[in-house]
Every structure is written in structure tokens, then in C-alpha cells.
């Protein structure tokens, strides 16, 4: 069954066939939504068909994906997704919440959320027989593309700002991709990548440009749906809350906007199929120094005005978000909002998540920082079921992690020194 039937422009509404276009709408540059044949999917599958699958990775949702699964089933590409959800009772109590969960995307094979998008884009690249896949990245997307490409022997090139964390650059290099560092920002790397792809015929993975990136990121929403289907009744009985008046609230860190818009797309797909009666409330969290989408949301506009991004959370540091309109809509259409957090609040969140056994990079910790701020502002209530996303491992940015904690003491190797320290 050919589930992928075309594209829909998010701005002008123009429809395109799969063969008509590759990236964005030629009329207005709008992001394209992948359109699936919902009626055919509905006639062939039911939620139980998904839930009964043994594959724990994102490929368990193949009936809802616009690509075919790549050959072989024992590569890192087939390990993307399937990340765990952890309860955080002590942090919930600290914030005055009855329930708090965290979905830990650092468990992906390349240690970040971006493995999802890259797995789907690489699958698409194999379908269209692309020789080279290229992307701009501050690190995570590049590492994910490099790792997923290496798994199936796909050539990959990554353009990254020279300021990208060394751990992320090291990952890309170890995976064998070609790395080109740019004297400039992520936005400069983005523009150069698009030009290079046009000039050399490469397949461009750029986030918020290639429509298949959102299709990869939506798989986290599909997993949240499956988890919540098995959890919400138990939660309802536990806290005695009215499920009808307390939808699941999902906190997402936002840079270019593609993660929150991808999650929104996943929930909308499920709603369209009649498998999800109510879409979760979505709250985007941006760094104060990179808040172009939040600014637009609070100004009640879909016009995204660029900023000069400055934040230690490199993964969400973007001057001009490429998926800003859909990111604004994700919060607006679900009754959500946007919260801005400072770098100091992000560092504090890294340390607090650490006390619960979660090692998050700055962008991942931003969601918890945003939750703490939202609780203080009354944006969420104590009975609301809350899920925050950790989008990447703290090992991706050890320098930031060291800023979040006190340095370890150094002592002489004698017991008396230990007693004195204690």
C-alpha cells in the first residue's frame, strides 16, 4: 500500500504530488506537510496492530510512515526511537506536581532526538537513490545523519559552525562523514548547505526544509500516544483527576521549531485516523537569547522576526527558525504556550535532572527549566499530568555540564584527608 500520497503547503495550502517537489513550497517557501492516505491506513490497521508489534524502535510505526523500512534489521538505523519514559516523583514533589514523567531521547543510538529524523531521511535517500546526503547542524543533527548513514553505507556531508561542541564534531568524524566547519553561525551553515545541495545534486536533510525530518520527529508523538494509552487510566485512578479536564501536557525545547511541529504532526495524524480523541497540550520552551518563535507566539502573529541568537544551549540557538509558523501553531492549536528560560536556569535544570539520574545537554534540560517556570507562573496546575522531553545526552556538551555543578575536590591519598574533607 502506498501510504504517501503527496504534500500540503502549510502556508498557502497548495497540494503537490510526491514527484512534484522535494523540499519547500515553490510559491511561498512554506514548509510542506507530508500527506498520508488516512482512509487506506484506517481500513487496514487498528491501534492494536501497532501495539502488538515486537519491534521496539520507531519502525514499529511503519504503517504511519511515508517511507519503506531499509533492508536489514540489525543496524543502528533500526535502533532509532523506542526511548523510555521515566517517572520523576521527587522532582514532581519539589515542583508541587502530582505526576511528572520524562521521555529520555538521549537513549537513541546517536544520543539525541535527531536520530529519529535522520533515520527517516536516510530511508528516503535510499528510496530515491541519492548519492550524498548533506545537512547543516550545530552538532546533533550532523551526528545523527552521520551515524544513520554509516549504518547503511550512505555518503554524508555535514556543515557546522566552528563553535559546535567538540564532542558532537567528534561523533560526526568517528562515523566517517565529511565535516566542513563554517566561520559563521548555524544560519550561515544552513544557507551554504542549500546552495551546495542545489549545485552538486546532493539530497539536503536540513531541518525545517526537508519535509521528511518532521516525519521522523513525529515518531516520538506516536510513542507518547502508545505510552499514554497504557498509562492514563492508571494515572487517573492514582490521582483521582478528571481526565477530560486534564490533558497530557508535553514540554518541548524549541530552536528552529521542527521538533514541536513534528510532534504536533504525529498527534494530528493519530487524530485524523480516529485513534487519538484529544491532542496533548504542547508547551514550547526557548532560551531567552534565542526566542524568535516565542516572540511571535506572544505577539499573536505567524510572522517570525529573526534574532541574534546567544545561548549556551547550542542545539536551540537559531537566528531565523525555519519551521517557525508550524511551531507557533503547535502551541496555539493545542491550548499551549511558550516559556523563555535563561542560561542560568538551564544550568540549574541540568543539575536538578542529574539528581534524578538524568544527564541532559542544555537543550534537553531547558524543558525542565521551562516546566519550573510554568509552575511558578500558574501555566500548569498541580494535577496536570506532565511529560518533559530530554532531547540529548549531557555527554554531548561536557563543558556546559561542568558549569552546572561544583568542581570535585582534590585531596592527598590518605584517610586523614578524607576525614578533613567530610
Amino acid at each position: 500500500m502506498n501510504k504517501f500520497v503527496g504534500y500540503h503547503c502549510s502556508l498557502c495550502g497548495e497540494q503537490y504530488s510526491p514527484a512534484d517537489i522535494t523540499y519547500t513550497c515553490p510559491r511561498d517557501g512554506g514548509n510542506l506537510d507530508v500527506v498520508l492516505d488516512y482512509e487506506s491506513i484506517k481500513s487496514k490497521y487498528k491501534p492494536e496492530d501497532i501495539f502488538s508489534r515486537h519491534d521496539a524502535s520507531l519502525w514499529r510505526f511503519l504503517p504511519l510512515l511515508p517511507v519503506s523500512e531499509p533492508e536489514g534489521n540489525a543496524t543502528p538505523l533500526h535502533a532509532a526511537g523506542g526511548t523510555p519514559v521515566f517517572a520523576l516523583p521527587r522532582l514532581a514533589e519539589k515542583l508541587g506536581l502530582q505526576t511528572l514523567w520524562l521521555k529520555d531521547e538521549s537513549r537513541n543510538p546517536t544520543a539525541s532526538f535527531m536520530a529519529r529524523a535522520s533515520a527517516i531521511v536516510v530511508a528516503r535517500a535510499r528510496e530515491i537513490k541519492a548519492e550524498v546526503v548533506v545537512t547543516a547542524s550545530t552538532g546533533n543533527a550532523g551526528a545523527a545523519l552521520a551515524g544513520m548513514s554509516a549504518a547503511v553505507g550512505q555518503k554524508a556531508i555535514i556543515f557546522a559552525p566552528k563553535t559546535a561542541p567538540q564532542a558532537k564534531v567528534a561523533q560526526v568524524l568517528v562515523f566517517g562523514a565529511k565535516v566542513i566547519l563554517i566561520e559563521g553561525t548555524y544560519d550561515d551553515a544552513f544557507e551554504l548547505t542549500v546552495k551546495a545541495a542545489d549545485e552538486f545534486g546532493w539530497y539536503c536533510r536540513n531541518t525545517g526544509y526537508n519535509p521528511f525530518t518532521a516525519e521522523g520527529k513525529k515518531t516520538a508523538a506516536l510513542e507518547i500516544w502508545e505510552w499514554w494509552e497504557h498509562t492514563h487510566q492508571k494515572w487517573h485512578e492514582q490521582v483521582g483527576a478528571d481526565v477530560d479536564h486534564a490533558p497530557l501536557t508535553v514540554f518541548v525545547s524549541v530552536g528552529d521549531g521542527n521538533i514541536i511541529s513534528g510532534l504536533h504532526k504525529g498527534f494530528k495524524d493519530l487524530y485524523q485516523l480516529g485513534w487519538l480523541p484529544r491532542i496533548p497540550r504542547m508547551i514550547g520552551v526557548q532560551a531567552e537569547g534565542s526566542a524568535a518563535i516565542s516572540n511571535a507566539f506572544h505577539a499573536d502573529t505567524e510572522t517570525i522576526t529573526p534574532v541574534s541568537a546567544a545561548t549556551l544551549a547550542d542545539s536551540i540557538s537559531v537566528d531565523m527558525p525555519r519551521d517557525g509558523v508550524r511551531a507557533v501553531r503547535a502551541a496555539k492549536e493545542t491550548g499551549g504556550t511558550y516559556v523563555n528560560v535563561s542560561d542560568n536556569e538551564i544550568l540549574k535544570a541540568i543539575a536538578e535532572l542529574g539528581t534524578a539520574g538524568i544527564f541532559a545537554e542544555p537543550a534537553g534540560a531547558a524543558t525542565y527549566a521551562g516546566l519550573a517556570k510554568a509552575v511558578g507562573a500558574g501555566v500548569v496546575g498541580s494535577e496536570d499530568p506532565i511529560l518533559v522531553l530530554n532531547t540529548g545526552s549531557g555527554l554531548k556538551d561536557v563543558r556546559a555540564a561542568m558549569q552546572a555543578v561544583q568542581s570535585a575536590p582534590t585531596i592527598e591519598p590518605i584517610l586523614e584527608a578524607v576525614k578533613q574533607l567530610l
Side-chain angles (χ1 to χ4, degrees):
M1 180 180 71
N2 187 9
K3 302 158 291 182
F4 172 34
V5 295
Y7 301 102
H8 171 267
C9 176
S10 60
L11 295 185
C12 68
E14 186 69 22
Q15 303 279 344
Y16 299 98
S17 78
D20 284 344
I21 199 74
T22 304
Y23 300 116
T24 56
C25 179
R27 293 176 58 176
D28 52 25
N31 293 108
L32 298 178
D33 293 318
V34 167
V35 179
L36 302 177
D37 187 343
Y38 297 107
E39 291 304 315
S40 293
I41 294 171
K42 231 182 342 185
S43 68
K44 187 172 182 180
Y45 299 101
K46 299 187 183 309
E48 294 73 23
D49 297 320
I50 306 293
F51 300 159
S52 62
R53 291 176 172 233
H54 296 298
D55 186 349
S57 76
L58 61 80
W59 297 104
R60 72 189 286 106
F61 300 102
L62 191 59
L64 306 183
L65 300 179
V67 294
S68 301
E69 184 175 2
E71 292 184 6
N73 57 8
T75 72
L77 186 142
H78 292 83
T83 57
V85 174
F86 300 120
L88 304 179
R90 283 182 288 109
L91 292 183
E93 183 179 4
K94 183 173 184 177
L95 293 175
L97 300 171
Q98 293 189 22
T99 47
L100 172 62
W101 297 278
L102 178 142
K103 187 165 177 62
D104 192 4
E105 291 295 302
S106 73
R107 306 303 181 97
N108 272 295
T110 57
S112 83
F113 191 101
M114 299 304 178
R116 295 178 181 275
S118 290
I120 299 301
V121 169
V122 168
R124 179 61 175 169
R126 305 302 275 180
E127 286 182 343
I128 64 175
K129 296 179 170 49
E131 182 180 355
V132 174
V133 185
V134 63
T135 197
S137 172
T138 58
N140 280 338
L145 178 60
M148 298 298 95
S149 294
V152 294
Q154 174 71 51
K155 291 181 181 178
I157 298 174
I158 283 79
F159 288 83
K162 70 173 186 178
T163 56
Q166 286 299 297
K168 297 180 180 181
V169 175
Q171 254 195 312
V172 180
L173 292 169
V174 167
F175 287 138
K178 184 172 184 60
V179 180
I180 302 173
L181 298 179
I182 303 299
E183 293 272 5
T185 66
Y186 165 76
D187 297 81
D188 295 326
F190 188 105
E191 294 295 343
L192 183 57
T193 301
V194 171
K195 291 175 182 177
D198 288 344
E199 178 72 19
F200 304 118
W202 298 338
Y203 185 49
C204 186
R205 176 223 179 275
N206 275 8
T207 298
Y209 181 67
N210 187 317
F212 283 83
T213 57
E215 289 298 297
K217 292 172 184 181
K218 84 176 185 184
T219 60
L222 305 182
E223 290 176 15
I224 291 169
W225 161 67
E226 182 177 11
W227 163 78
W228 188 237
E229 283 290 305
H230 291 98
T231 302
H232 80 278
Q233 186 59 41
K234 182 179 178 182
W235 166 78
H236 182 214
E237 293 169 356
Q238 175 187 340
V239 302
D242 186 343
V243 175
D244 291 335
H245 293 86
L248 179 67
T249 298
V250 180
F251 279 75
V252 188
S253 58
V254 178
D256 54 38
N258 197 236
I259 291 181
I260 195 169
S261 69
L263 291 170
H264 191 212
K265 172 62 159 56
F267 290 134
K268 288 192 294 184
D269 281 353
L270 293 167
Y271 185 81
Q272 183 83 9
L273 290 166
W275 294 358
L276 179 66
R278 186 173 187 179
I279 294 177
R281 184 186 186 205
M282 304 191 71
I283 296 182
V285 181
Q286 290 215 279
E288 288 179 350
S290 181
I293 296 173
S294 179
N295 293 342
F297 178 89
H298 289 293
D300 197 22
T301 180
E302 291 188 348
T303 300
I304 311 297
T305 303
V307 298
S308 295
T311 173
L312 62 79
D314 66 284
S315 295
I316 53 174
S317 181
V318 181
D319 293 349
M320 179 58 193
R322 307 293 170 158
D323 205 355
V325 172
R326 293 193 300 187
V328 166
R329 292 175 183 172
K332 185 173 293 185
E333 292 176 10
T334 63
T337 188
Y338 272 81
V339 178
N340 297 344
V341 294
S342 68
D343 281 0
N344 284 337
E345 288 169 325
I346 291 173
L347 289 172
K348 181 181 177 183
I350 290 174
E352 289 198 12
L353 285 172
T355 66
I358 305 296
F359 190 17
E361 71 164 332
T367 54
Y368 181 78
L371 169 62
K373 205 160 192 176
V375 169
V379 173
V380 293
S382 62
E383 293 185 349
D384 292 345
I386 307 291
L387 175 75
V388 299
L389 249 64
N390 170 32
T391 50
S393 169
L395 291 173
K396 295 276 194 170
D397 193 345
V398 174
R399 185 171 65 175
M402 293 303 291
Q403 293 179 59
V405 294
Q406 290 186 341
S407 299
T410 301
I411 64 170
E412 294 181 63
I414 56 175
L415 186 58
E416 197 58 40
V418 176
K419 291 179 179 179
Q420 186 175 356
L421 181 66
L422 296 178

